[in-house]
Amino acid sequence: MKLKKQVTVCGAAIFCVAVFSLYLMLDRVQHDPTRHQSGGNFPRSQISVLQNRIEQLEQLLEENHEIISHIKDSVLELTAHAEGQPALPQHPLNGSWVLPPENRPSFLSVSPQDCQFALGGKGQSPDLQMLAVYSLLPFDNQDGGVWKQGFDITYEPNEWDTEPLQVFVVPHSHNDPGWIKTFDKYYYDQTQHILNSMVLKMQEDPRRRFIWSEISFFSKWWDNISAQKRAAVRRLVGNGQLEMVTGGWVMADEANSHYFAMIDQLIEGHQWLEKNIGVTPRSGWAVDPFGYSSTMPYLLKRSNLTAMLIQRVHYAIKKHFAATQNLEFMWRQTWDPDTSTDILCHMMPFYSYDVPHTCGPDPKICCQFDFKRLPGGRINCPWKVPPRAITDANVAERAQLLLDQYRKKSKLYRSKVLLVPLGDDFRYDKPQEWDAQFLNYQRIFDFLNSRPDLHVQAQFGTLSDYFDALYKKVGIVPGMRPPGFPVLSGDFFSYADREDHYWTGYFTSRPFYKSLDRVLEAHLRGAEILYSLALAHARRAGADGRYPLSDYALLTNARRNLGLFQHHDAIAGTAKEAVAVDYGVRLLQSLTNLKRVIINAAHYLVLGDKDMYRHDPAAPFLGMDETRSSQDSLPERTVVKLGTSPRFLVVFNPLEQERLSVVPVLVDSLHVRVLSEEGQPLPSQLSAVWNSATDAVPNVYQVSVLARLPALGLRVLQLHKASDGHVTPRSSTRLYLHGRDVPVHKPEALPLHIFPAAADDFCLENQHLQACFLGRTGLLQSLRPAGEEQAHRVSSEFLVYGTRTSKDKSGAYLFLPDGEAKPYAPKDPPVVRVMEGPLFSEVASYYQHVQTVVRLYNVPGVEGLSLDVSCLVDIRDHINKELALRFSTDIESDDTFFTDLNGFQIQPRRYQRKLPLQANFYPMPAMAYIQDMQSRLTLLTAQALGVSSLHSGQLEVILDRRLMQDDNRGLGQGLKDNKRTCNRFRLLLERRAVGSSSGFFSKLVSMFKALSFPGTRTGSPEVQDERPISFPSLLSHITSVHQNAEALVMPVALEKPALPALRSFVPLATTLPCDFHILNLRTLQAEDDSLPSAEAALILHRKGFDCSLEAKNLGFNCTTSQGKLALGGLFQGLELGSLQPTSLTLMYPLGTASNSTNIHLDPMEIATFRIRLG
């Protein structure tokens, strides 16, 4: 033992020396008198000297990094076998609980090269940066004539004499997998008829074309059609008449969806297409999502699509891009140092994707060419001029009128190839419509094509027909940048379709289901990984005959239900109430099934003797951690009953990093001891469970255990009913009633002090952080990180937005507030409950419509470095109100703030004073932050909500909205089905090292900045405008995954003493670099799609991170490796049989499968590998 300590101290000393020498070296480079600040105007000779110096420096840094890594590995080896249990807390007299220092060292060892990425500086600036475009535009909404939101378009008749206009009319039918009707009702009423008619009518004329995108509907139809019909579909796809566009399970919402689910629904659709039709999608089609994220072009590009189309973009941006012929562009990621993420994007120019708004600028004329609206039908043209059937007598006049629109529309684009969509929602559901559209248009095409003097070639086409013709016209291969086409980076939020009608309400609408979506997503990821590992181990042991392979069908069903919910009217919260219930039932059914899959996998993996494994569906070996009584109820946690025999718990950590976590368990006894698998006592805390502010649940207690959980692994814990002599540390509670006369039901044998009056201001503290609260409200006031003398103002308050009194009011889609928010003013002051204990302390404030709990964990590592904030919201008695939570700080953020896109990347935002308040809200699926030179405050969220920063130093989030009326976007309902909803957040305050002159990383970052951008202000909170770019810190990334992938606690169901031996399951043989995230390990389907194959998809994401934020006391060993990872020995007890890099959705192999199992990933990249484990 003594020797171990000596070697550890020795190793630590060498480590310190190495770091200090590197520090001094950097210091010399920084203060080198030859590097005087000359604003970057170096003579050429000095530049070459500087380049040499950089190269030497990089080499030195690399050597030092390797030395440090070796030392770290040695120390780790020496300490790995030391006591792995966290130390027990101690309680000095009149003091806070303290935890003894960790007996295992923790490292933060980040390669300097890995810090360089976040500094940007490489690559060319795009021609169009959306943040700059917003700053440029006046947003004046001038009347443009027949094209109301645009301008008058003119042309010279001879413009096409040398190069004729090539027109592709693309018939389509937009099928929402749930909106006004449920998915199934739409299918039976409309979709099946559309697809049946399609097979029939397309075969009548080989010149006809059609596109389809929603595989959820297509697969349901496929399951119900004959073999002959399937063969006909394959022929139509094969000869180019029918194209599957995008090929996702749904046309996903791009604001609220998380990138795991976006990728998963894309894989589900693409795998279905490959297996059933043998086709790989080439072009993306997204006509209806309400704004567009730059994550989607990245995912499509990495899936090997070469072009994409979008429609719902702010009308002022459409007008600007049309006027400058920038409606087609190469969409590039902001962080891309070269052109590898470029994808060609076509933006439709007009108001809608319906026929009146797609043939040209004048809807009155275009409507006359929607032949479903012929007189006598159920729908007509609002402009009062109906379509006329095309005859020999009128074809010349009709064709000329339509050609005029085509020519005007083509003036908005750079090429002489024109795309004209022809369709709308649920179109072509009757054979008569197929005839009306196809026969009349064919007559027009025949006339136009027979007149060489008109210089036009018109035909039906698919989306890829259009893009192929465009590429051919400009003479390049698909996927390359057409000459002269601009490069754009940024995104297209927030969307307005007219006036000041901003679609920013749906960022929060129906938050209950937005939260349930993420719970299901976390369970799906956990179930996929554990199932894949259990199956591989069972096969290796020859036990797969006894393993429930039927669980694979449950996984498939869950993938499809999660995929369905990514639809742009599902997670968006913009469907009818009955449809929302249908989605909820599907989500809950899959959640329950996934818990079963996890339980079955965990059962097999923790058995010491695998021969003992017997799968009994009627009596599962493990119980569930929680249950939900219905699709709209909050979860109820399982209470573990203690008896004379010990109860065992299996705890699953779905993260790819080891974590030190406080694991909560409900028990029925005060007398409880928690031991490790080996029988060692574990730090724990006993606290009351509360029904309400003052009502403790009788005979139920929460025991919270501090446990170290293996990466992706299972930890076995024991619960014993303690003898009278043993007392588990108990939390003490203070209850402040603020003068309210409310009955109090005290918890048994747990200290409770009742104060009838208001409290003085008070603070909670751990070794990292002090959080202070206002006594009368219980709300957060300030945060002070350890080591800082001055506290930072971080005050929280609740606010209420109303809606307008004019005719246009807020609804499911739109946010139309009646001005700035007003303070939330409940009729009674809150009851405030302060609980303090050894592992965590919390402040609960109970208001009429919201209960907020702010928790501070007193543990080493990630969980103790941020505040856990939850808000239980119930606004079912509100009328036309939206409840917001605002944090106000002393951070000088000016008008800049940062929001994430789909949990994948960060997009800088700027508060635009020229736009209305509602225009400045953005989606926040995972995090938002504000910063200045000294600090960054990040709000991390476990569910997607709308966020903004309306003033310097502020960050506010909309928690729920209750609206009594429709907002005239087709839904026909308000939002009145609110639920009791729990919104969960983490609040992380970090010091930015850039501004200070001390600190190793500070020197590193400012030096690299000075070298990369001579003459720029280092540490400036606003990013260079040419490439606005920002990244979370490593700590922020890790905090986010902790919050989104909570440990699952499964009690062993058997209470009898004759339990088989259980062993913790540690699947990873080595520690993963901490900028790597295992997005999924997804077992692929066999020929019989209800069974698993021997292959799995391993999907990895390497995160981009900002080194300028100080990272101390992470509580686990964090190393980066410049993107290198050895997969060969990663999984303990399993061999990697094969490794094939593929495109994101496994449609294309990338290169040949090699024997090497070492891979490399660039920062931000997501990569998929087809692997065989066994």
Side-chain angles (χ1 to χ4, degrees), residues 117-118 129 131 259 293-295 332-336 489-491 896-909 922-931 936-940 947 990 1021 1023 1027-1033 1036-1037 1040 1101 1103-1106 1109 1164:
F117 177 76
Q129 207 328 298
L131 206 55
Y259 77 118
S293 160
S294 48
T295 304
R332 182 179 299 168
Q333 299 304 305
T334 48
W335 43 264
D336 183 4
S489 70
D491 68 338
T896 302
F897 59 111
F898 303 81
T899 68
D900 77 291
L901 291 167
N902 317 102
F904 173 63
Q905 59 185 325
I906 297 295
Q907 179 62 48
R909 307 290 184 193
Y922 293 94
M924 176 182 64
M927 67 175 78
Y929 52 84
I930 52 173
Q931 64 184 23
R936 175 184 288 183
L937 181 76
T938 307
L939 181 68
L940 300 117
V947 73
E990 295 173 285
V1023 264
R1027 290 186 72 213
I1029 187 168
S1030 188
F1031 296 93
S1033 64
S1036 183
H1037 277 307
S1040 182
H1101 175 206
K1103 301 193 170 190
F1105 59 92
D1106 185 344
L1109 293 127
M1164 291 302 294

Side-chain angles (χ1 to χ4, degrees), residues 974-985:
L975 277 180
K976 296 185 278 191
D977 57 346
N978 302 70
K979 324 285 181 206
R980 285 179 77 234
T981 300
C982 187
N983 291 316
R984 293 173 39 244
F985 308 100

